[in-house]
Amino acid sequence: MLQDRFGRTIDYLRVSVTDRCDLRCSYCLPARFTQFEEPSHWLTFAEIERVVAAFVRLGVQRVRLTGGEPLLRRNLPALAAQLKALGLRDLSLSTNATQLAKYAQSLKAAGVNRINVSLDTLDRQCMQDITGRDALAQVMAGLAAARAAELSPIKLNMVAMKGVNEAEIEAMADFALSNGYILRLIEAMPLGDTGRNAQFLELGAVRERLVERYQLVPQALELGGGPARYWQTPDGSAQIGFITPRSQHFCATCNRVRLTVDGTLYLCLGQESTVELRPLLRSGISDTELDAVIIAAIELKPERHEFNEQPTKLIRFMSQTGG
Ligand code: SAM
C-alpha cells in the first residue's frame, strides 16, 4: 500500500487525459484561453496504462478519468477498457456532458461504472454566462444517455457562487432528487485568477437551508471515498454532498494524487509538489524503477493546501491539473 509521511493511504488516482475543454467556466478557464499542451507532450494511451498499472501494483484500485474535458480525447472508451483490464475495482469519469450522449453506452461497455457531471445551473442563459456556451440541451441529453446506459451513481457537481447560481441551489436539489442524481455542492477554489475571482460562497448556511428543506440527516457511511460530506433524506433514498475545501478542509483524509496529460504527477491539488514521469517513461525506465519513483513521490505529498492562508499561490487553473 502507498502511505505518505502523515499516515494517509493513497488508494485513488485521477488521470487527466487532456487539458482541452470545450467550455470556459468563469471560475476555471479564461474566456480566450488557448494555451493548451501540444499533443506530443501528451502521454499516449500506452504510457497512461503503464503508469496506472504501476499504481495498481502499489494498491490503487480506483481511477477517475478527467481533464480538461476527457471526452475530447479521441477514443477515450478504448483507454477506459485498457485501464479496466488492469483489474481496477472502480473506474469513473468526470465530464461536462456536452459529448456524453454520444459516448455513454461505449463508456459503460468499456467498464466505466459511474460518472460525475458538472452542472452549475438549469437556466440556459446562466449556463451560457458561466461556461461561454449555450450547451444546456446537450448536457441534458448526455444525462439522459448516462441513465439509459445505467452508469450509476450519477453525481452532479455544482460550483455554488454568490449572486451567480446561488438562488438556483434549491431548484438544482429538487432536480437531482427527483431524477435520482446525487447533487454535490462545491466551494470555488482559488486556482488561477479565474478561481480567485469566482464569487466564493461559503456552504455552511446553504447546508443548513437544505437540511431544513429536506429534513436531511448526516450520512454515516462514506459514499465514493472522496472529500464530499453527505447528508441524506430520512428514508435514506437520496443524498446531497458538500465539498468545502475552504470553509472546512478535508486534507487529513486525502487519499489521492493526480496524473496530468503531460505526465506530471501532482501530489496535492493546492500545492506545487510534483514529479515528472514523462521523461522517465520515454527513457526506458523499468517497472521496478517506476514503482520506486512513485513510492518516493508519495513521500513528497504535502500535508494540506493553503487556499485560505495563501489564496494567490497557485497560477494554474483546475482544468490544467485535472479537476
Ligand atoms: N471537464 C470535466 C468536468 O466538467 O467535470 C472535468 C474537469 S473539470 C476541471 C472538474 C471539476 O472541477 C468540475 O466540476 C468543475 O466545475 C470544477 N472546477 C473547476 N475550477 C474550479 C474551481 N476554481 N473551484 C472549484 N471547482 C472547480
Side-chain angles (χ1 to χ4, degrees):
M1 288 301 257
L2 285 170
Q3 274 223 326
D4 75 1
R5 65 212 145 104
F6 303 102
R8 295 173 295 195
T9 298
I10 308 305
D11 61 2
Y12 184 49
L13 175 68
R14 296 173 75 105
V15 177
S16 175
V17 295
T18 176
D19 60 352
R20 299 182 179 196
C21 193
D22 53 342
L23 301 184
R24 290 290 177 278
C25 297
S26 53
Y27 49 79
C28 191
L29 280 180
R32 266 172 276 286
F33 187 78
T34 54
Q35 292 156 32
F36 292 115
E37 287 289 328
E38 287 302 311
S40 65
H41 296 161
W42 287 7
L43 296 191
T44 62
F45 283 5
E47 288 168 334
I48 294 173
E49 185 185 348
R50 257 201 98 195
V51 176
V52 174
F55 274 95
V56 170
R57 284 195 295 277
L58 295 167
V60 168
Q61 297 219 322
R62 303 182 332 116
V63 166
R64 172 174 296 277
L65 298 170
T66 181
E69 172 44 46
L71 295 181
L72 296 186
R73 180 86 187 240
R74 198 152 17 110
N75 291 336
L76 188 77
L79 175 66
Q82 264 173 269
L83 301 185
K84 186 70 182 180
L86 297 171
L88 295 174
R89 182 164 56 84
D90 178 31
L91 180 60
S92 58
L93 172 85
S94 286
T95 177
N96 63 27
T98 60
Q99 314 274 319
L100 190 56
K102 192 162 140 203
Y103 290 113
Q105 289 286 356
S106 45
L107 288 166
K108 175 77 179 185
V112 172
N113 42 297
R114 60 194 182 97
I115 56 164
N116 291 0
V117 170
S118 300
L119 184 62
D120 296 330
T121 176
L122 296 168
D123 180 86
R124 193 173 160 189
Q125 184 58 48
C126 186
M127 172 104 181
Q128 165 105 45
D129 294 343
I130 293 175
T131 70
R133 260 190 69 188
D134 180 13
L136 189 61
Q138 281 109 296
V139 174
M140 289 300 160
L143 278 171
R147 268 170 76 159
E150 296 180 356
L151 288 161
S152 173
I154 298 172
K155 296 179 185 166
L156 302 182
N157 284 343
M158 176 182 191
V159 177
M161 290 168 286
K162 213 180 269 183
V164 178
N165 58 358
E166 180 182 5
E168 269 198 79
I169 291 174
E170 276 80 358
M172 187 67 89
D174 287 347
F175 171 74
L177 264 51
S178 59
N179 285 285
Y181 305 134
I182 298 174
L183 176 65
R184 303 179 341 146
L185 296 162
I186 303 176
E187 288 178 350
M189 292 173 247
L191 291 170
D193 288 343
T194 46
R196 270 186 285 286
N197 294 336
Q199 302 303 309
F200 172 69
L201 175 65
E202 210 256 74
L203 287 176
V206 173
R207 184 174 48 231
E208 280 171 29
R209 254 165 46 201
L210 294 180
V211 163
E212 195 177 321
R213 181 181 171 93
Y214 300 106
Q215 302 298 300
L216 300 176
V217 293
Q219 180 164 307
L221 283 178
E222 108 189 284
L223 189 78
R229 294 192 174 92
Y230 288 96
W231 292 63
Q232 63 185 21
T233 49
D235 64 359
S237 64
Q239 295 84 20
I240 298 181
F242 298 86
I243 301 183
T244 55
R246 291 182 65 175
S247 64
Q248 242 190 329
H249 76 77
F250 33 76
C251 301
T253 55
C254 183
N255 61 351
R256 62 201 52 207
V257 291
R258 293 175 160 80
L259 178 69
T260 59
V261 68
D262 66 356
T264 306
L265 191 63
Y266 276 85
L267 299 158
C268 172
L269 183 60
Q271 299 283 5
E272 301 289 5
S273 320
T274 57
V275 172
E276 299 294 340
L277 298 183
R278 189 179 78 243
L280 306 175
L281 294 168
R282 293 190 179 172
S283 63
I285 192 174
S286 71
D287 283 352
T288 315
E289 287 164 337
L290 182 57
D291 292 0
V293 167
I294 291 171
I295 291 167
I298 298 301
E299 280 291 303
L300 302 175
K301 188 169 166 63
E303 185 172 16
R304 47 167 299 203
H305 67 66
E306 294 161 307
F307 288 151
N308 291 332
E309 299 85 340
Q310 297 200 56
T312 55
K313 185 166 174 173
L314 295 182
I315 54 170
R316 64 175 192 268
F317 309 113
M318 178 75 106
S319 194
Q320 294 172 304
T321 323

